Amino acid sequence: MHSHSIDQWTHDHVFLGSRHYKHERRAWFVVGLTTVKMVGEIAVGWLSGSMALLADGWHMATHAAALGIAALAYLFARRQSGNSRFTFGTGKFGDLAAFASAIILAMISVQIAYESLARLAHPVPIAYGEAIAVAVLGLGVNLVSAWLLRDDHSHDHGVHATGHHHHDNNLRAAYVHVMADAATSVLAIAALVVAMYSNWVWADPAVGIIGSLVIANWAVGLIRASGAVLLDVNADKNLERVVRDRLETEGDRITDLHLWQVGPGHRAAVISLISDHPRPPATYKRRLGGLRNLSHVTIEVETCPHLADPAR
């Protein structure tokens, strides 16, 4: 029985992004900003009888909910980061939240497309001045929110050796939500101005359909990115190549390699090697030194059976 301290061989499993706390603060600020705008529009719309304000207020509620999911994901991941029930930490919780937010975004795009098609078939009177004012107000709030959630779409700079960047999909989801709303506002302003001066009532719903397609495309991209992380897809072929180059030397061969993301800027690897002259696993781990986003490595080394069997 090993009676000495094993502290030098143990490690934690905290795989949060390098900007986790910064992103969490920004997400909560944007949630507050969006909620204030939502409550203000619903209250003023109710008191003034403005359907445009009421509609935009309830529309903002869906974005506030999605942004709230992002902020809560940061909070949960941080508070539960030391919980041993999560085998590889809570770093992927943001991707789960991003996947849920992307589903909400896709539903919003379907709703916009449905309402636009309904208005194409059955045009309704539009209070242009009021609608444009609401769209401009919404655009201003969304631009401030997008500035807060910038950061190159939340890139976490990981492995310098491979030059590959890893997204914080949770912040990216929040960013896409405010950008989708901003894009909707820009398109709405343009369509309303055209319709007001040309009397082309169809311009507003037609632009709405275009906006819904753009938002749907963003939602699909976000679903693919976050879903790939949740399903442990190895999307970093550059890192895989570097790992193979560093370990497959002097006749050693990799027989099994699993590489997956456990958090923004953090990857784990389980590697099996076969060697004519096997060395301790620590030797192979040292060969992978400097790959900063390779945060958790398990290596198994087997002796070539031709050497192990003296009859051969």
Side-chain angles (χ1 to χ4, degrees), residues 225-292:
S226 56
V229 175
L230 295 174
L231 293 173
D232 295 330
V233 172
N234 177 19
D236 196 343
K237 294 300 181 182
N238 288 333
L239 178 57
E240 180 180 338
R241 177 182 52 78
V242 171
V243 169
R244 289 186 179 277
D245 288 345
R246 292 192 180 189
L247 296 183
E248 292 190 322
T249 61
E250 301 176 5
D252 295 346
R253 298 290 303 276
I254 291 177
T255 58
D256 197 20
L257 172 59
H258 298 277
L259 188 65
W260 72 99
Q261 185 171 321
V262 290
H266 295 281
R267 289 194 177 271
V270 174
I271 305 167
S272 294
L273 283 159
I274 187 167
S275 174
D276 291 339
H277 306 286
R279 296 171 176 79
T283 301
Y284 297 98
K285 286 186 178 181
R286 283 195 292 270
R287 291 183 186 177
L288 301 179
L291 304 183
R292 288 179 52 192

Side-chain angles (χ1 to χ4, degrees), residues 151-164:
D151 221 10
D152 264 351
H153 303 298
S154 63
H155 285 184
D156 267 302
H157 299 282
V159 181
H160 291 180
T162 65
H164 188 80

